[in-house]
Amino acid sequence: MNTADQNIFKINISRAKKYIHRVLDVPTYNDKASRAFDDFMITLIVLNMIAMLLQTSDSIAAAGHFIFTILEIFTIVVFTIEYALRVWSITVNHKYSKPFWGRARFCLKPLMIVDLIAFLPFYLPLAGMDLRYARILKLFRLIKIVRYSSTLRFFGKIIYKKREELLITMSLLFVILILCSLLIYDVENKVNQAVFPGILDAFWW
């Protein structure tokens, strides 16, 4: 490959990286590819959640074992490729432009950690590692939906901006709950000690 061909190759790679980054990490309502990708991922995540719920029934899990297995493998492949492409193309962003440290900092972002947990447990048993609670870890796939839904992203921004007010509200609710538990315990313990033997039981009630 001569110098001219190498330059053309590098230009094409650069264009591909920018395009992939725009589709994956820069959601724009005017970009049909970005919107189609978001819709596809949301559909895939919802199907995974439905499959997980259906598999709690032994009869349904046995009857649809092949379909559930195919869906799981397809999902893992898609999530793995998506994660790899995000890490590869992120250097387009000037904040993560350094090939190693930029990608390392990007991988430590909360949503990237969620993305990793969404598919990594599948590979651990293949490496001979015993992984418990795999079904619980699959719930991280539901959290991934925040990345692809503009409404949920907007909701998340509101929560972040109002985090202090929400924290105060939750603290007040917790204090009220404790006070109510104390009152319930004080009243009920005298006449119904078997049901309310302690404050924690009143709190749970």
Side-chain angles (χ1 to χ4, degrees):
M1 184 181 293
N2 56 41
T3 304
D5 291 337
Q6 289 178 351
N7 291 335
I8 293 174
F9 178 76
K10 289 180 180 179
I11 291 173
N12 290 334
I13 291 294
S14 178
R15 288 176 178 174
K17 185 180 288 188
K18 290 179 181 178
Y19 178 76
I20 291 172
H21 176 68
R22 188 177 78 247
V23 171
L24 297 181
D25 276 308
V26 187
T28 56
Y29 296 107
N30 296 325
D31 193 325
K32 292 182 179 179
S34 179
R35 189 166 63 248
F37 175 76
D38 288 353
D39 292 342
F40 168 74
M41 293 300 292
I42 290 173
T43 302
L44 184 60
I45 292 169
V46 171
L47 287 176
N48 269 267
M49 291 303 103
I50 293 174
M52 189 179 71
L53 293 175
L54 291 176
Q55 288 180 89
T56 57
S57 170
D58 293 337
S59 58
I60 296 177
H65 176 72
F66 178 76
I67 296 176
F68 292 138
T69 302
I70 294 299
L71 176 62
E72 178 70 10
I73 294 174
F74 178 74
T75 300
I76 293 300
V77 170
V78 171
F79 285 176
T80 304
I81 294 174
E82 179 213 10
Y83 184 87
L85 289 176
R86 285 186 186 278
V87 174
W88 174 69
S89 63
I90 194 58
T91 52
V92 171
N93 188 327
H94 66 90
K95 293 194 302 183
Y96 307 101
S97 58
K98 293 183 179 180
F100 179 78
W101 292 112
R103 289 189 173 107
R105 287 195 302 112
F106 178 67
C107 289
L108 293 176
K109 293 182 64 176
L111 279 180
M112 287 301 292
I113 294 174
V114 168
D115 287 348
L116 184 63
I117 297 176
F119 70 84
L120 185 61
F122 176 84
Y123 294 106
L124 296 181
L126 299 179
M129 299 178 64
D130 182 23
L131 183 67
R132 299 180 181 180
Y133 311 116
R135 183 176 295 175
I136 296 177
L137 291 176
K138 285 184 179 181
L139 292 175
F140 278 84
R141 297 178 184 178
L142 184 60
I143 302 176
K144 276 174 64 66
I145 207 170
V146 175
R147 184 191 288 280
Y148 311 107
S149 173
S150 58
T151 302
L152 290 175
R153 283 196 298 269
F154 179 71
F155 184 67
K157 290 179 181 178
I158 292 177
I159 291 177
Y160 180 77
K161 288 181 179 179
K162 300 295 182 180
R163 59 188 183 280
E164 292 183 1
E165 292 88 340
L166 290 172
L167 181 61
I168 293 172
T169 302
M170 294 300 295
S171 299
L172 289 174
L173 288 175
F174 183 74
V175 170
I176 292 172
L177 185 58
I178 293 295
L179 290 175
C180 290
S181 300
L182 290 171
L183 291 173
I184 291 293
Y185 170 76
D186 187 57
V187 172
E188 294 289 340
N189 178 259
K190 299 175 182 178
V191 296
N192 197 2
Q193 191 173 6
V195 179
F196 296 95
I199 295 177
L200 291 178
D201 297 281
F203 181 86
W204 175 250
W205 179 84

